Amino acid sequence: MADNAAAEGRGRGRGRRGDRGRRGRRDDTKEEWVPVTKLGRLVKDGRINSIEEVYLFSLPVKEFQIIDKFLPNLKDEVMNIMPVQKQTTAGQRTRFKACVVVGDSNGHVGLGVKCSKEVATAIRGAIALAKLNIIPVRRGYWGTVLGEPHTVPAKVTGKCGSVTSRLVPAPRGTGIVAAPKPKRLLQLAGIQDCYTTSRGSTKTLGNFVKATFQAISCTYGYLTPDLWEETNFTKTPYQEHSDFLAKTVKRNY
């Protein structure tokens, strides 16, 4: 009887420690986005329906979830990862700097740079910063105005450090004539045909990509006759929805 009782006590499991594996299980469900800015509240409530309204009134975007809502098909590409060091009294402290480009290949592109102790953390932070820095890209034609816009509307130039990058319109079917990294940035921006020239220390990939990004951001700074029409400005979203924004939001901290 004693042996049977002992055998029943031991059983086939591990007793009270048998469900040890359940403690470390992660919850894969995403947390609900709780906006903390006026723009975030308007976007989540559906009162702003496109990112063009944000660009029209130059509203600052402080939450990357706003971009996720407007542009759900963004693709990200890691341009460069490099170690950076800082000299301290205890020795050298090494961190990693990641440069990431995001875009939807349809007129929107962003660039983000983040430094962190771990590579994965740096990439994750750079993606979030790239979404906050997304800009509209203006596309145009070379020669005959037929079909969809395919190239940059004019010659544009960007500079970062010693690197100067220049984008030149190209005929349809040319493709993107550029180095691998700027070529990928232009593809994510939605440019199909483009000539490029560069000067300076282009082996510094961070500055090379930044110079190309600055050049492509100048496309909407060039005034052409098709933009001469007057824009009838309306009230800003903050003024139009002031009653909604005046309501106090109860937060659970």
Side-chain angles (χ1 to χ4, degrees):
M1 296 292 291
D3 295 338
N4 293 337
E8 292 178 0
R10 287 195 299 269
R12 296 183 181 178
R14 300 185 61 182
R16 282 178 283 179
R17 297 180 293 174
D19 56 350
R20 181 177 294 179
R22 299 181 184 174
R23 298 180 185 174
R25 184 179 300 171
R26 292 184 179 180
D27 188 8
D28 295 335
T29 58
K30 294 183 179 179
E31 296 182 0
E32 185 182 359
W33 172 41
V34 180
V36 295
T37 60
K38 292 181 180 179
L39 180 60
R41 291 172 58 191
L42 293 176
V43 169
K44 186 175 181 181
D45 198 61
R47 297 174 185 268
I48 296 180
N49 299 317
S50 67
I51 196 171
E52 277 68 30
E53 294 184 44
V54 178
Y55 292 142
L56 179 63
F57 296 100
S58 300
L59 303 177
V61 180
K62 301 294 184 182
E63 298 173 273
F64 69 90
Q65 291 90 345
I66 297 174
I67 304 299
D68 289 336
K69 189 173 181 64
F70 287 143
L71 305 173
N73 298 323
L74 283 178
K75 297 180 181 178
D76 57 84
E77 183 86 12
V78 179
M79 294 287 110
N80 187 32
I81 297 177
M82 61 177 295
V84 292
Q85 291 181 331
K86 176 183 178 182
Q87 186 69 37
T88 62
T89 56
Q92 292 178 341
R93 186 187 67 178
T94 303
R95 296 198 298 174
F96 297 94
K97 185 169 72 170
C99 180
V100 177
V101 172
V102 299
D104 61 352
S105 300
N106 192 24
H108 299 95
V109 69
L111 174 66
V113 180
K114 179 66 175 178
C115 194
S116 181
K117 294 181 180 179
E118 298 180 2
V119 176
T121 309
I123 293 175
R124 200 180 308 116
I127 291 175
L129 291 176
K131 291 178 180 179
L132 296 179
N133 293 331
I134 275 192
I135 59 171
V137 178
R138 184 181 174 197
R139 292 166 290 178
Y141 299 90
W142 185 94
T144 308
V145 184
L146 292 175
E148 296 294 329
H150 62 98
T151 185
V152 290
K155 298 177 183 179
V156 288
T157 305
K159 191 174 189 301
C160 181
S162 67
V163 183
T164 301
S165 180
R166 191 182 192 207
L167 308 181
V168 181
R172 192 181 298 273
T174 302
I176 299 176
V177 184
K181 300 299 182 180
K183 181 177 182 179
R184 186 59 183 147
L185 187 148
L186 294 174
Q187 288 174 343
L188 290 173
I191 302 295
Q192 300 175 9
D193 309 290
C194 184
Y195 292 125
T196 64
T197 61
S198 58
R199 296 176 59 188
S201 181
T202 54
K203 68 179 181 180
T204 310
L205 292 179
N207 289 350
F208 197 9
V209 174
K210 287 180 182 178
T212 308
F213 181 75
Q214 182 182 352
I216 206 170
S217 66
C218 296
T219 54
Y220 266 107
Y222 185 74
L223 186 64
T224 52
D226 58 335
L227 297 178
W228 286 355
E229 297 180 1
E230 294 186 4
T231 303
N232 297 323
F233 291 104
T234 59
K235 292 183 178 180
T236 64
Y238 295 160
Q239 293 175 334
E240 186 177 355
H241 305 289
S242 58
D243 295 338
F244 171 77
L245 295 174
K247 299 178 182 178
T248 57
V249 180
K250 187 176 181 181
R251 297 171 182 167
N252 298 323
Y253 291 105

